[in-house]
Amino acid sequence: MPAFDAPLRDIDFVLHNLLKVSESDVPGYDELDRDFTTAILEEAGKISRDVLAPLNMTGDIEGCRLENGVVRTPAGFKAAYETVATGGWIGLDCDPAYGGQGMPYVLHSAVSENFVAANMALNMYWGLTHGAYSAIHTHGSEAQKQTYLPNMVSGAWSGTMNLTEPHCGTDLGLLRTRAEPQDDGNYKVTGQKIFISAGEHDLAENIIHLVLAKIPGGPEGVKGISLFIVPKFLVRDDGSLGDRNALSCGKIEEKMGIHGNATCVMNYDGATGYLVGEPHKGLRAMFTMMNEARLGVGMQGLAQAEAAYQNAVAYAKDRLQGRAVTGAKNPDGPADPLIVHPDIRRNLMDQKSFIEGARAFALWGAMLIDRAHRKGDADADGLISLLTPVIKGFLTDKGFESTILAQQVYGGHGYIEEWGMSQFARDARIAMIYEGANGIQALDLVGRKLGQDGGKHVMGFFELVKGFVKENDGDAQLKADFLDPLKAASKHLQAAAMYFMAEGMKNPNNALAGSTDFMHLFGHVCLGLMWARMAKAAQEALDKGAPDPAFHEAKIATGRYYMARQLPATAMHLARIQSGADTVMALEAGAF
């Protein structure tokens, strides 16, 4: 059975050596000293290792069962859920006014990585609750907040998001679920939603569904969508649970992965719903939840890669196969361990360099969210808006790729279920699809985010990279190994953006055909920036006599690998982008 240990040393490095959170001017960050974050993350690590990870394979094998309208989760899930809920982990960064602990989002993100790596399917139950909490907290009335948020923060109640319908995925303008106004000011919601994660389960006493629906007579398309709170059980005025609402789980989807999470078809048959915010403004409210979810899904790609990598490293060190071409490394044994072979090292270094760069990128993104929300920093808000599709799309594409690499280390054993490596790949695969498939993320990046506010935010990113390079240009070693490759990659990104500006108006297909390449090009530049920053931070720690020099030396060596072996992909992506759409669109539909 695969094992998992939280990568606490590396998270500590990112928080304190790279991001220097306790020195930040973001309100609340002064509490994030090393002793405090270490205590929080060590406890989260214990729960991940001892409570969540042992149930990961159990959940995969058992899956969920629908019995008489009730979903039964795998053995052990309920007790583990209660451990997380009673420990206050669900509300770690939630508003203290509703029972939360008020910690910064960056700490929530660091904790979440470990929970997701240990058991992605189980974590989804409270992860979705967190998103529903955020939507109600931002857009709900005070009465709605008082009614629902305390129990959601505590984990007594859970939450979902209901967007997709059988005929309607990305194109929400086709949505058919309707909400009929009632004399009491509430609504009767009727329709069917599919792919609803955690739509029905036995972990919490109530489930608060956030449902997109159209009020009759409203505008056509997405402008006519409203958002409704539709609880599984109605809530009485005194806060106690009343009658079962007119909603049900019609079936559980049979899926490739995340078997421990109930992906439900939800039927609403005149269910009582409560409007959130204004009529016909539901998409804006739901996107509060969606944007948070996209950052969380990016973390899922990273987390599954980390879990798979840990097990691949252990196997490569233990499995004896062949002899090193430079001479036996295990002369007393019948063969050398796999890890002596250059191609295995390449495989593992691809994983390691991605994972550590992605962790820095994701936590930097979380820090930008804190700057935007806690400090009102408009530039940070614009930058994270630009980077959200990159975090979601690039980290999940590369995260899945990493799980496949980890599986490959095992050879044939990686294909055998008892070793558990296929689960990481199967679970990671959904992250490329839900919360907006990665092709949609790329289109959003190129079609909307790139030109947002007149291109202010992408220009700000270029200036950020340029400023870091210029500031550190006098460091000869950093320049050769990190700054020069970063500068070249950044120029590729700028050239791609200029191509879109020049060609996009003449032939929009030229921009759209290159959108996924642009997302990956952007992702590589972001990880290149993170690695350059981390190399500087690691060298500074070594110069100050860090007590664990091997860690910092390995950090620099891993960064050099990324800059030499991964970052050059930016040239390939630029070449693809500049080839335009002609070859992409050449065939008529009937020729496929």
Side-chain angles (χ1 to χ4, degrees), residues 227-460:
L227 180 65
F228 299 87
I229 293 172
V230 187
K232 176 181 174 180
F233 289 99
L234 299 175
V235 182
R236 299 189 182 100
D237 290 342
D238 65 358
S240 63
L241 297 184
D243 295 336
R244 170 77 184 245
N245 210 347
L247 60 90
S248 61
C249 172
K251 65 174 287 192
I252 302 176
E253 302 289 1
E254 295 289 336
K255 311 185 297 293
M256 176 180 176
I258 54 168
H259 295 151
N261 194 270
T263 304
C264 300
V265 174
M266 296 301 300
N267 298 315
Y268 295 90
D269 302 302
T272 298
Y274 309 97
L275 180 68
V276 178
E278 300 176 40
H280 320 308
K281 303 292 185 184
L283 209 54
R284 183 172 65 92
M286 182 60 87
F287 265 98
T288 296
M289 188 172 181
M290 284 288 287
N291 286 330
E292 177 180 313
R294 286 171 177 170
L295 294 165
V297 171
M299 188 66 81
Q300 288 180 338
L302 158 63
Q304 292 306 291
E306 169 67 35
Y309 166 74
Q310 287 189 16
N311 287 279
V313 168
Y315 187 83
K317 290 179 176 179
D318 183 66
R319 175 75 165 172
L320 302 181
Q321 291 285 284
R323 289 293 188 190
V325 294
T326 54
K329 305 300 182 186
N330 179 35
D332 295 332
D336 290 333
L338 281 172
I339 202 165
V340 307
H341 303 301
D343 195 57
I344 295 292
R345 289 290 186 95
R346 173 205 57 79
N347 179 315
L348 295 174
M349 286 297 286
D350 279 353
Q351 295 176 64
K352 180 178 174 63
S353 64
F354 162 72
I355 289 164
E356 293 181 17
R359 175 174 296 119
F361 183 28
L363 292 178
W364 177 51
M367 190 173 182
L368 288 173
I369 290 174
D370 280 331
R371 290 198 71 85
H373 293 174
R374 289 173 168 255
K375 195 173 171 59
D377 187 328
D379 289 338
D381 191 49
L383 184 55
I384 191 58
S385 177
L386 171 71
L387 295 177
T388 292
V390 184
I391 292 172
K392 195 281 185 184
F394 183 70
L395 295 196
T396 59
D397 278 352
K398 301 299 285 186
F400 172 73
E401 181 182 307
S402 288
T403 66
I404 298 299
L405 288 171
Q407 188 182 32
Q408 189 74 14
V409 170
Y410 283 69
H413 291 293
Y415 200 67
I416 302 300
E417 288 296 340
E418 70 180 270
W419 288 89
M421 295 306 290
S422 79
Q423 184 185 352
F424 298 123
R426 289 185 287 103
D427 286 358
R429 185 65 182 88
I430 186 58
M432 302 161 72
I433 298 172
Y434 61 13
E435 311 305 346
N438 285 357
I440 299 297
Q441 301 302 316
L443 294 178
D444 178 50
L445 175 63
V446 169
R448 293 179 62 248
K449 300 299 176 62
L450 201 56
Q452 194 170 16
D453 295 329
K456 172 184 176 182
H457 307 302
V458 72
M459 294 304 296

Side-chain angles (χ1 to χ4, degrees), residues 113-124:
E113 182 199 331
N114 298 311
F115 287 170
V116 174
N119 196 320
M120 178 170 156
L122 178 51
N123 180 85
M124 287 172 64

